[in-house]
Amino acid sequence: MATVRYFAAAAEAAGIQSERVDADDLGSLLADLRSRHGAELARVLERSSVLHEGQYVSDPALPLAHDAELDVLPPFAGG
């Protein structure tokens, strides 16, 4: 199972800091997250970056190992 860590607005929308998700690829993982957490997280995911093992990823066909680690990083304000 992949570990998904949420930061800032993503953690607030999901209502948790992290969770384990069973998914074979990035697309099914993101679909599962939208289904689990609803419209608010779906909205945040639309503008967030997803890191897989520290690298930005966007290809829904990206295969995920059972021990994959992903971070959901929404845009951060600041300057």
Side-chain angles (χ1 to χ4, degrees):
M1 294 183 81
T3 299
V4 179
R5 298 185 305 176
Y6 301 101
F7 295 87
E12 186 175 326
I16 54 177
Q17 299 291 314
S18 67
E19 66 183 316
R20 306 264 301 152
V21 179
D22 188 20
D24 293 327
D25 57 50
L26 181 61
S28 59
L29 179 131
L30 293 174
D32 188 358
L33 297 180
R34 289 180 185 100
S35 176
R36 287 179 191 222
H37 300 291
E40 183 60 23
L41 183 62
R43 185 181 66 77
V44 172
L45 287 172
E46 288 298 317
R47 58 184 207 278
S48 294
S49 296
V50 177
L51 302 181
H52 173 259
E53 308 298 339
Q55 299 293 316
Y56 171 77
V57 293
S58 63
D59 180 1
L62 176 76
L64 299 176
H66 74 280
D67 60 348
E69 292 185 3
L70 297 106
D71 296 326
V72 178
L73 303 170
F76 292 95

